[in-house]
Amino acid sequence: MSPDSKAQSDVDAILSRCRTVAVVGLSPKAHRDSYRVAQYMQAHGWKIVPINPNASSILGETAYPSLLDAARHHRIDLVNVFRNSEDVPPVVTDAIAIGAKAIWLQMGITHNSAADQARAAGLRVVQDKCLMVEHRRAG
C-alpha cells in the first residue's frame, strides 16, 4: 500500500468508525478554527470532549484539563489536535495511554516521530489535514 493510499485508508477508517473525539486545544472562542471544526462535528452527531485546562465547558460539553482526566469520564475514539507541532509528543503519549483508536493532527500540524510512535502502538494517524474538510469530502 502506498503512503498516500495508507493515509486515505486511515482517514476513511476514522470517519467511519470514530464517534467520540477529544479535541486537544479546543478554544471557547467561536471565531477559532478549533471551535468551528468541533461545532461542525458535533452538529453531525459526534460526541465532542473538549480538552482545555482554562475552560469549564465548551459547546455545552464539560471541558477537561487533560486527555487523562477526560478518559476517566469518556471512552475516547479519536484525539484531534489543535496545538503546535512541538506539543504533539505528550499528546500522543496520553492518547496511547487512554487506548484511543486514532490521532488526528489538524492542518499545519505534523510530528513524524510522534506519528510513528502512535502507529507502533496501533493507532491510526492523520497529519496536516482538517477533520471537517475530510468529513465534508467523504459526504
Side-chain angles (χ1 to χ4, degrees), residues 58-120:
I58 303 172
L59 292 168
E61 300 289 347
T62 300
Y64 298 92
S66 73
L67 273 175
L68 299 176
D69 289 320
R72 292 187 187 106
H73 304 277
H74 303 277
R75 171 77 181 106
I76 296 166
D77 300 323
L78 173 64
V79 177
N80 188 14
V81 181
F82 283 91
R83 297 288 311 269
N84 293 324
S85 294
E86 61 267 18
D87 298 329
V88 169
V91 175
V92 166
T93 299
D94 288 352
I96 293 166
I98 66 167
K101 296 175 188 171
I103 188 145
W104 191 294
L105 307 182
Q106 283 292 140
M107 290 292 283
I109 306 170
T110 61
H111 199 291
N112 290 332
S113 63
D116 290 344
Q117 178 189 4
R119 284 186 195 101

Side-chain angles (χ1 to χ4, degrees), residues 23-28 34-36 38 48-52 55 58-59 82:
V23 185
V24 177
L26 178 53
S27 174
S34 62
Y35 187 96
R36 288 195 308 265
I48 301 299
V49 181
I51 309 299
N52 183 328
I58 303 172
L59 292 168
F82 283 91

